[in-house]
Amino acid sequence: MCLITVYSEKHKLHDPVEEFELGRFRPFQETPARVEHIIESIRTRNLGPVISPRDFGLAPVLKVHTLDYVDYMKTAYAAWTEIGGNPNGVFPDVFAVREFKMPNARSSEAGKSKFAYTPEGGPIGRPGYYCYDGTAVIADGTYEAAYDAAQVALTGAELLVNEMANGVFALCRPPGHHAHEDLCGGYCFFNNAAVATRHLIDVLKVGKVAILDIDYHHGNGSQAIFYHQSNPLYVSLHAALEYPYYTGSERETGEGEGTGYNVNIPLPLGTQDEEYVAALTDVLEKRIRPYSPDYIVVSLGVDTFKDDPVGGLFLTTENYTRIGQVIASLSCPALFVMEGGYAVAAIGENVVNVLMGFRDGFSS
Ligand code: SP5
Ligand code: ZN
């Protein structure tokens, strides 16, 4: 089986100097070098062809994100620097917290915003409305890179369906699973996996899709976007009580039509290879296989690695091959979408191990 990678150099346009965490500025960790190491490993280990994305425009992005949020993403950096904001990027310091919800909110009449004065909150107010942490740094070039990452995911979805490949890797950067319909956070701006999933279901009419999110962190954005729907099924394995802190409990099971179609598996800090593979196999057999998905979208983060500077699980490089094999055992065509992973020296080998484990384990 051949595994195709989609990749765009435009990710390099997103290269913030710093992020804000624990009350300090420190070097930005979600660096272009991450993806450069991955593409290098793909080439040296002959994973398969590497192709450039097509441009599908904004319409597929707007099926997931609101128009006012996309407009914010496009204009935020210019508006911020115009008023004398930090040229290294947009860092909100006023926050549109839930208590500001206004009963007579003008925008809520349009069924959109919960706040009276947003999205017109002005150049200082808007960032605190559309951003929930200090690591989703919008710098010069961030919009172009995020736009292209969504196009990489969309191209991956098209290839998976039309080229009859059983595996496609969308090498997206910036990542996406923390982005909500109108919120950036956790290094994420557009939810690439969600955009590809909507495209698979609505445009390519593939039937049922399961999202399997194996990034170290809970994919709060993907969960929120699909929380009221039974297609896709969303399944996440992640470290318990870690970032993004407010979501990821097993009690979050979906609502309305989506009841029962959101599955969270929080894992204790320090989880190692054996327990991880056991938990993955268990949820795959009990929840994903019975759903009989036609396609699977894997939110692939390797921040579960033992030496990851951000994460706190202890998976080894060899174990990523097993993870790929376990996913392959579903015999379901898979779109892998790159999410997190910050141990730069090992990131290429870890990612390619998952993909090779899948490629070589797949039988249709
Ligand atoms: C896509 C993705 O993986 N986003 C993750 C964003 C997590 N950002 C907050 C991380 C806080 C980590 N604290 C580091 C403690 C050092 N061990
Ligand atoms: Zn992560």
Short mmCIF file of all heavy atoms in Angstrom, two decimals, residues 108 159 234:
data_model
loop_
_atom_site.label_atom_id
_atom_site.label_comp_id
_atom_site.label_asym_id
_atom_site.label_seq_id
_atom_site.Cartn_x
_atom_site.Cartn_y
_atom_site.Cartn_z
N SER A 108 -26.51 38.66 19.30
CA SER A 108 -27.18 37.40 19.60
C SER A 108 -28.52 37.32 18.87
O SER A 108 -29.03 36.25 18.60
CB SER A 108 -27.38 37.22 21.10
OG SER A 108 -28.44 38.03 21.54
N LEU A 159 -7.72 13.26 -1.86
CA LEU A 159 -6.85 12.18 -2.34
C LEU A 159 -7.29 10.84 -1.80
O LEU A 159 -7.29 9.83 -2.51
CB LEU A 159 -5.40 12.43 -1.89
CG LEU A 159 -4.61 13.45 -2.68
CD1 LEU A 159 -3.29 13.70 -1.97
CD2 LEU A 159 -4.35 12.94 -4.10
N TYR A 234 -16.46 11.23 17.62
CA TYR A 234 -15.17 11.79 18.08
C TYR A 234 -14.65 10.98 19.27
O TYR A 234 -15.35 10.82 20.27
CB TYR A 234 -15.31 13.27 18.48
CG TYR A 234 -14.01 13.84 19.02
CD1 TYR A 234 -12.95 14.13 18.17
CD2 TYR A 234 -13.83 14.04 20.38
CE1 TYR A 234 -11.75 14.63 18.65
CE2 TYR A 234 -12.62 14.54 20.88
CZ TYR A 234 -11.59 14.83 20.01
OH TYR A 234 -10.40 15.31 20.49
#
